[in-house]
Amino acid sequence: MTNNYEILFIVPKNVDGTEFNNLSDKLKNIISDKHKNELKKFEKWADRKLAYTINNHSDGTYYIIETNCSSECIIDLEKILSFEKAIILRFLIDKK
Amino acid sequence: MGYDRRDNDKRSKQPRKKPSKLLEGNTDINYKNVELLQNFITERKKIAPRRMTGNTASQQRIISREIKKARYMALIPYTVNHK
């Protein structure tokens, strides 16, 4: 049983490209290789100044992921998103 | 049965219902659509009441939920005096 999920997360400015690429590859592998689910969108949503400082970060890049995947895949994604130092805030909702 | 002037005065004091900004065909009510949500918060960054926005009850419920999501994701501030 798969649902449409949308994940928005913020990466601070001081995270360099290589670190972020490892992270994005890890996320993509989980969605498409491990669970064989559909990854609709994984792109940068915006470069914005945060409305309030989070862990002394006042700027960040917003990335958005849109997938059609199962709940087990979401559990795996949550593990990575929650423990990853390069992500200061994340938001996961199911899109009806 | 004299004509009761008091009723007429009471009705004229009721503020005319302002049309809501949602009626301008903007159906994309989404926490990411920050420009639309800015219309529904006051200068103090609080959620504007219905009498100011002119929303219907269901519109106001949807708008306030999306504003709270946008606040969580640091797109809209909670208060005016954030560090």
Side-chain angles (χ1 to χ4, degrees):
Chain A
M1 223 298 272
T2 63
N3 287 322
N4 283 317
Y5 292 100
E6 178 187 283
I7 303 168
L8 190 72
F9 60 93
I10 306 176
V11 177
K13 280 281 163 55
N14 54 13
V15 171
D16 61 351
T18 52
E19 193 178 343
F20 178 72
N21 287 341
N22 301 339
L23 167 66
S24 63
D25 292 345
K26 223 189 294 185
L27 294 174
K28 284 174 188 162
N29 289 344
I30 281 183
I31 295 174
S32 39
D33 298 349
K34 183 176 177 190
H35 289 278
K36 306 280 183 294
N37 289 133
E38 182 200 352
L39 174 64
K40 287 185 197 158
K41 189 197 285 190
F42 186 115
E43 62 192 27
K44 181 166 109 168
W45 179 63
D47 261 323
R48 275 179 72 102
K49 188 171 176 348
L50 302 184
Y52 46 85
T53 55
I54 303 167
N55 301 344
N56 301 326
H57 297 296
S58 61
D59 284 298
T61 313
Y62 286 75
Y63 287 92
I64 188 163
I65 300 176
E66 275 185 21
T67 62
N68 186 340
C69 64
S70 61
S71 50
E72 293 81 19
C73 174
I74 286 295
I75 291 167
D76 280 353
L77 281 180
E78 271 288 311
K79 269 183 209 151
I80 289 202
L81 291 171
S82 53
F83 291 130
E84 188 60 45
K85 288 263 176 319
I87 293 176
I88 50 176
L89 203 60
R90 70 186 188 283
F91 191 62
L92 179 124
I93 51 173
D94 61 339
K95 285 181 75 109
K96 300 270 178 318
Chain B
M1 266 283 286
Y3 182 72
D4 193 347
R5 288 194 54 77
R6 231 168 347 99
D7 285 348
N8 201 354
D9 291 348
K10 205 167 49 178
R11 216 175 305 121
S12 65
K13 282 195 181 54
Q14 220 173 8
R16 196 181 53 75
K17 200 68 177 172
K18 260 192 341 181
S20 157
K21 291 200 173 46
L22 282 184
L23 298 183
E24 289 148 6
N26 204 327
T27 55
D28 177 19
I29 308 171
N30 196 336
Y31 69 99
K32 299 199 293 292
N33 191 349
V34 184
E35 293 77 27
L36 177 76
L37 296 182
Q38 298 285 3
N39 301 327
F40 298 101
I41 55 176
T42 63
E43 294 79 29
R44 306 283 303 166
K45 305 304 175 194
K46 300 166 81 170
I47 297 176
R50 273 181 61 201
R51 64 175 182 280
M52 269 173 68
T53 58
N55 282 344
T56 63
S58 58
Q59 285 170 340
Q60 185 72 12
R61 276 195 301 269
I62 294 168
I63 284 286
S64 63
R65 206 177 307 133
E66 295 303 320
I67 286 174
K68 287 166 191 169
K69 285 182 194 172
R71 280 177 172 166
Y72 173 78
M73 279 310 286
L75 298 167
I76 293 177
Y78 281 94
T79 67
V80 186
N81 37 32
H82 271 300
K83 277 196 303 299

